[in-house]
């Protein structure tokens, strides 16, 4: 008897909680302009409600074996019909979204594709997303997202004219928490990977990349800032490089770096298949 009461209570509580989640989700979406990251999330929640309702009926009102089979079959049939119907809705049939869970399982990098438009959504609690930015180019192809650090994801996409671009989704903060910092100002000095014949020089506002003997200068017009964690370096038409400051970087209260010798900048190039990360070691500061 005690076991029956416990299981009934557990089932009722589960159903109530799931209903509250649905009601709360509707409130949150309306109040804070959030949306489910995936249109499948409410389908999963409602499917769980159907299963728990079937469990309660099966457990309390079907003592004969044949009725148990009947209730089980009806529950399964309702579930199949509901999921099948939901899968045909416009939101799910048109779902071309791109998702990637961070290595520390705290954030989801989400891009929602609508025709040639690609929109970045900031994730909240792994369930909701808020539209942050419509990417500036019409998109033809999108590569696989790569997590450069636990809180920075990078993705390469190709526009309809064939040019490659890099987008960085940032979820952390670099530098002093008192004020906003530019990634370029937090990485002043010279960095290199001698084995790969690659170096980055950021001296007195003059940023240049040397890749296998070829040096390219990048003015402020060709530097795109993403949060305080990274930048993308571009030419007139496409992205050429991106670099990200690792999470272990430490700064003084005024934003001055204090452990550059102990960290490695993380550099990458646009690639639709796989973005490889190159580690750059600090060599010297501004003179």
């Amino acid at each position: 008897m005690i076991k029956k009461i416990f299981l009934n209570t557990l089932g009722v509580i589960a159903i109530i909680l799931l209903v509250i989640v649905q009601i709360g989700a509707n409130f949150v979406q309306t109040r804070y302009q959030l949306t489910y990251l995936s249109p499948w999330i409410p389908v999963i929640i409602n499917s769980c409600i159907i299963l728990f309702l079937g469990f309660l009926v099966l457990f309390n009102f079907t003592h004969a074996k044949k009725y148990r089979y009947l209730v089980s079959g009806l529950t399964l049939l309702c579930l199949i019909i509901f999921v099948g119907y939901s899968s045909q809705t416009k939101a799910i049939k048109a779902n071309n979204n791109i998702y990637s869970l961070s290595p520390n399982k705290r954030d989801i990098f989400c891009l929602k594709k609508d025709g040639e438009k690609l929109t970045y959504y900031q994730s909240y609690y792994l369930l909701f997303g808020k539209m942050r930015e419509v990417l500036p180019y019409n998109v033809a192809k999108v590569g696989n997202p790569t997590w450069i650090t636990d809180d920075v994801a990078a993705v390469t996409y190709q526009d309809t004219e064939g040019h490659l671009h890099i987008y960085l989704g940032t979820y952390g903060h670099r530098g002093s928490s008192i004020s906003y910092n530019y990634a370029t100002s937090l990485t002043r000095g010279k960095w290199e990977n001698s084995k790969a014949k690659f170096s980055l020089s950021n001296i007195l506002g003059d940023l240049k990349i040397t890749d296998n003997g070829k040096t390219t200068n990048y003015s402020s017009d060709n530097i795109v800032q993403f949060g305080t964690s990274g930048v993308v370096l571009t030419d007139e038409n496409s992205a050429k490089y991106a670099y990200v400051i690792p999470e272990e970087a430490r700064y003084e209260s005024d934003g001055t770096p204090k452990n550059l010798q102990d960290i490695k900048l993380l550099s990458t190039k646009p690639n639709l298949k796989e973005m490889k990360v190159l580690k750059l070691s600090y060599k010297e500061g501004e003179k």
Side-chain angles (χ1 to χ4, degrees), residues 1-286:
M1 185 65 180
I2 295 177
K3 182 179 179 181
K4 185 175 182 179
I5 294 173
F6 173 76
L7 292 175
N8 277 325
T9 304
L10 195 63
V12 171
I13 290 175
I15 292 172
I16 292 173
L17 287 176
L18 289 170
V19 171
I20 290 174
V21 167
Q22 284 287 58
I23 296 173
N26 290 331
F27 171 78
V28 167
Q29 291 178 74
T30 303
R31 179 72 179 271
Y32 300 103
Q33 290 78 52
L34 298 178
T35 182
Y36 280 123
L37 282 177
S38 170
W40 280 104
I41 292 175
V43 176
I44 293 172
I45 294 174
N46 289 330
S47 296
C48 290
I49 293 175
I50 293 173
L51 283 174
F52 279 114
L53 284 172
F55 163 77
L56 288 177
V57 173
L58 185 67
F59 190 71
N60 288 282
F61 304 107
T62 55
H63 301 292
K65 198 171 185 179
K66 63 178 180 179
Y67 292 121
R68 290 183 180 180
Y69 288 140
L70 178 62
V71 171
S72 298
L74 286 174
T75 302
L76 184 59
L77 180 62
C78 289
L79 194 60
I80 292 173
I81 292 173
F82 173 71
V83 174
Y85 173 78
S86 299
S87 66
Q88 298 304 308
T89 59
K90 183 179 178 180
I92 290 180
K93 290 186 73 173
N95 179 26
N96 293 315
N97 300 345
I98 297 166
Y99 307 101
S100 182
L101 182 64
S102 65
N104 59 13
K105 308 296 188 295
R106 294 180 180 177
D107 300 290
I108 293 179
F109 179 72
C110 176
L111 294 173
K112 294 194 175 185
K113 196 171 188 297
D114 182 14
E116 294 180 346
K117 296 295 182 183
L118 202 60
T119 305
Y120 169 64
Y121 280 75
Q122 186 89 27
S123 66
Y124 293 90
Y125 310 110
L126 303 181
L127 290 177
F128 302 104
K130 188 169 187 177
M131 189 185 78
R132 288 301 184 190
E133 182 178 6
V134 178
L135 275 59
Y137 304 96
N138 290 334
V139 177
K141 296 180 182 179
V142 184
N144 297 319
T146 299
W147 286 89
I148 308 299
T149 67
D150 279 351
D151 61 359
V152 178
V155 67
T156 298
Y157 64 99
Q158 186 180 66
D159 65 25
T160 51
E161 295 182 358
H163 303 126
L164 294 179
H165 307 276
I166 297 176
Y167 188 87
L168 300 179
T170 62
Y171 302 87
H173 182 80
R174 305 292 187 269
S176 168
S177 59
I178 299 175
S179 60
Y180 186 85
N181 296 277
Y182 289 93
T184 49
S185 66
L186 298 176
T187 54
R188 294 185 293 267
K190 292 184 179 180
W191 307 75
E192 71 175 32
N193 184 314
S194 55
K195 186 176 181 180
K197 298 181 180 179
F198 187 97
S199 66
L200 181 151
S201 175
N202 183 13
I203 305 296
L204 300 176
D206 180 23
L207 195 154
K208 54 188 176 183
I209 295 284
T210 301
D211 189 354
N212 203 24
K214 181 181 178 180
T215 299
T216 306
N217 288 68
Y218 292 92
S219 66
S220 58
D221 292 336
N222 301 109
I223 301 173
V224 183
Q225 172 97 5
F226 288 88
T228 59
S229 306
V231 296
V232 174
L233 308 178
T234 70
D235 62 12
E236 292 182 359
N237 299 312
S238 58
K240 294 301 179 182
Y241 305 95
Y243 71 84
V244 172
I245 303 171
E247 296 165 285
E248 61 267 24
R250 297 290 177 264
Y251 299 88
E252 305 291 354
S253 58
D254 62 354
T256 305
K258 67 178 181 180
N259 71 329
L260 292 182
Q261 292 83 353
D262 302 322
I263 67 172
K264 296 182 185 297
L265 277 187
L266 307 171
S267 176
T268 187
K269 300 179 184 180
N271 190 314
L272 285 171
K273 292 184 178 180
E274 181 183 5
M275 300 179 72
K276 296 182 179 179
V277 178
L278 186 66
K279 295 182 179 181
L280 307 179
S281 299
Y282 179 81
K283 289 303 177 184
E284 60 183 72
E286 292 179 317

